[in-house]
mmCIF file with all atom_site columns, all heavy atoms in Angstrom:
data_model
loop_
_atom_site.group_PDB
_atom_site.id
_atom_site.type_symbol
_atom_site.label_atom_id
_atom_site.label_alt_id
_atom_site.label_comp_id
_atom_site.label_asym_id
_atom_site.label_entity_id
_atom_site.label_seq_id
_atom_site.pdbx_PDB_ins_code
_atom_site.Cartn_x
_atom_site.Cartn_y
_atom_site.Cartn_z
_atom_site.occupancy
_atom_site.B_iso_or_equiv
_atom_site.pdbx_formal_charge
_atom_site.auth_seq_id
_atom_site.auth_comp_id
_atom_site.auth_asym_id
_atom_site.auth_atom_id
_atom_site.pdbx_PDB_model_num
ATOM 1  N N   . ASP A 1 133 ? 30.611 51.845 26.797 1.00 98.00 ? 133 ASP A N   1
ATOM 2  C CA  . ASP A 1 133 ? 29.272 52.421 26.784 1.00 98.00 ? 133 ASP A CA  1
ATOM 3  C C   . ASP A 1 133 ? 28.467 52.004 28.019 1.00 98.00 ? 133 ASP A C   1
ATOM 4  O O   . ASP A 1 133 ? 27.755 52.813 28.614 1.00 98.00 ? 133 ASP A O   1
ATOM 5  C CB  . ASP A 1 133 ? 28.513 52.036 25.519 1.00 98.00 ? 133 ASP A CB  1
ATOM 6  C CG  . ASP A 1 133 ? 29.016 52.769 24.283 1.00 98.00 ? 133 ASP A CG  1
ATOM 7  O OD1 . ASP A 1 133 ? 29.753 53.758 24.427 1.00 98.00 ? 133 ASP A OD1 1
ATOM 8  O OD2 . ASP A 1 133 ? 28.647 52.343 23.166 1.00 98.00 ? 133 ASP A OD2 1
ATOM 9  N N   . ILE A 1 134 ? 28.604 50.736 28.399 1.00 98.00 ? 134 ILE A N   1
ATOM 10 C CA  . ILE A 1 134 ? 27.888 50.244 29.583 1.00 98.00 ? 134 ILE A CA  1
ATOM 11 C C   . ILE A 1 134 ? 28.400 50.955 30.839 1.00 98.00 ? 134 ILE A C   1
ATOM 12 O O   . ILE A 1 134 ? 27.606 51.424 31.671 1.00 98.00 ? 134 ILE A O   1
ATOM 13 C CB  . ILE A 1 134 ? 28.092 48.712 29.734 1.00 98.00 ? 134 ILE A CB  1
ATOM 14 C CG1 . ILE A 1 134 ? 27.264 47.968 28.657 1.00 98.00 ? 134 ILE A CG1 1
ATOM 15 C CG2 . ILE A 1 134 ? 27.643 48.242 31.134 1.00 98.00 ? 134 ILE A CG2 1
ATOM 16 C CD1 . ILE A 1 134 ? 27.541 46.476 28.605 1.00 98.00 ? 134 ILE A CD1 1
ATOM 17 N N   . VAL A 1 135 ? 29.728 51.090 30.973 1.00 98.00 ? 135 VAL A N   1
ATOM 18 C CA  . VAL A 1 135 ? 30.283 51.765 32.144 1.00 98.00 ? 135 VAL A CA  1
ATOM 19 C C   . VAL A 1 135 ? 29.819 53.206 32.202 1.00 98.00 ? 135 VAL A C   1
ATOM 20 O O   . VAL A 1 135 ? 29.399 53.705 33.267 1.00 98.00 ? 135 VAL A O   1
ATOM 21 C CB  . VAL A 1 135 ? 31.825 51.685 32.121 1.00 98.00 ? 135 VAL A CB  1
ATOM 22 C CG1 . VAL A 1 135 ? 32.399 52.577 33.243 1.00 98.00 ? 135 VAL A CG1 1
ATOM 23 C CG2 . VAL A 1 135 ? 32.299 50.253 32.267 1.00 98.00 ? 135 VAL A CG2 1
ATOM 24 N N   . THR A 1 136 ? 29.811 53.897 31.068 1.00 97.00 ? 136 THR A N   1
ATOM 25 C CA  . THR A 1 136 ? 29.328 55.290 31.016 1.00 97.00 ? 136 THR A CA  1
ATOM 26 C C   . THR A 1 136 ? 27.865 55.380 31.445 1.00 97.00 ? 136 THR A C   1
ATOM 27 O O   . THR A 1 136 ? 27.497 56.243 32.238 1.00 97.00 ? 136 THR A O   1
ATOM 28 C CB  . THR A 1 136 ? 29.467 55.835 29.583 1.00 97.00 ? 136 THR A CB  1
ATOM 29 O OG1 . THR A 1 136 ? 30.859 55.864 29.213 1.00 97.00 ? 136 THR A OG1 1
ATOM 30 C CG2 . THR A 1 136 ? 28.917 57.269 29.496 1.00 97.00 ? 136 THR A CG2 1
ATOM 31 N N   . GLY A 1 137 ? 27.050 54.431 30.993 1.00 98.00 ? 137 GLY A N   1
ATOM 32 C CA  . GLY A 1 137 ? 25.641 54.412 31.359 1.00 98.00 ? 137 GLY A CA  1
ATOM 33 C C   . GLY A 1 137 ? 25.426 54.155 32.845 1.00 98.00 ? 137 GLY A C   1
ATOM 34 O O   . GLY A 1 137 ? 24.566 54.792 33.479 1.00 98.00 ? 137 GLY A O   1
ATOM 35 N N   . LEU A 1 138 ? 26.230 53.264 33.415 1.00 98.00 ? 138 LEU A N   1
ATOM 36 C CA  . LEU A 1 138 ? 26.128 52.985 34.853 1.00 98.00 ? 138 LEU A CA  1
ATOM 37 C C   . LEU A 1 138 ? 26.451 54.224 35.669 1.00 98.00 ? 138 LEU A C   1
ATOM 38 O O   . LEU A 1 138 ? 25.785 54.537 36.640 1.00 98.00 ? 138 LEU A O   1
ATOM 39 C CB  . LEU A 1 138 ? 27.058 51.834 35.242 1.00 98.00 ? 138 LEU A CB  1
ATOM 40 C CG  . LEU A 1 138 ? 26.757 50.456 34.639 1.00 98.00 ? 138 LEU A CG  1
ATOM 41 C CD1 . LEU A 1 138 ? 27.842 49.453 35.016 1.00 98.00 ? 138 LEU A CD1 1
ATOM 42 C CD2 . LEU A 1 138 ? 25.374 49.944 35.079 1.00 98.00 ? 138 LEU A CD2 1
ATOM 43 N N   . MET A 1 139 ? 27.491 54.928 35.249 1.00 97.00 ? 139 MET A N   1
ATOM 44 C CA  . MET A 1 139 ? 27.878 56.133 35.990 1.00 97.00 ? 139 MET A CA  1
ATOM 45 C C   . MET A 1 139 ? 26.845 57.247 35.850 1.00 97.00 ? 139 MET A C   1
ATOM 46 O O   . MET A 1 139 ? 26.556 57.956 36.812 1.00 97.00 ? 139 MET A O   1
ATOM 47 C CB  . MET A 1 139 ? 29.260 56.610 35.497 1.00 97.00 ? 139 MET A CB  1
ATOM 48 C CG  . MET A 1 139 ? 30.389 55.692 35.893 1.00 97.00 ? 139 MET A CG  1
ATOM 49 S SD  . MET A 1 139 ? 31.995 56.330 35.341 1.00 97.00 ? 139 MET A SD  1
ATOM 50 C CE  . MET A 1 139 ? 33.101 55.081 36.027 1.00 97.00 ? 139 MET A CE  1
ATOM 51 N N   . LYS A 1 140 ? 26.287 57.400 34.669 1.00 97.00 ? 140 LYS A N   1
ATOM 52 C CA  . LYS A 1 140 ? 25.271 58.426 34.466 1.00 97.00 ? 140 LYS A CA  1
ATOM 53 C C   . LYS A 1 140 ? 24.013 58.164 35.282 1.00 97.00 ? 140 LYS A C   1
ATOM 54 O O   . LYS A 1 140 ? 23.362 59.106 35.763 1.00 97.00 ? 140 LYS A O   1
ATOM 55 C CB  . LYS A 1 140 ? 24.896 58.512 32.977 1.00 97.00 ? 140 LYS A CB  1
ATOM 56 C CG  . LYS A 1 140 ? 25.948 59.221 32.127 1.00 97.00 ? 140 LYS A CG  1
ATOM 57 C CD  . LYS A 1 140 ? 25.492 59.330 30.688 1.00 97.00 ? 140 LYS A CD  1
ATOM 58 C CE  . LYS A 1 140 ? 26.503 60.103 29.842 1.00 97.00 ? 140 LYS A CE  1
ATOM 59 N NZ  . LYS A 1 140 ? 26.095 60.190 28.420 1.00 97.00 ? 140 LYS A NZ  1
#
Side-chain angles (χ1 to χ4, degrees):
D133 286 346
I134 288 172
V135 172
T136 298
L138 296 175
M139 291 182 177
K140 284 183 177 178

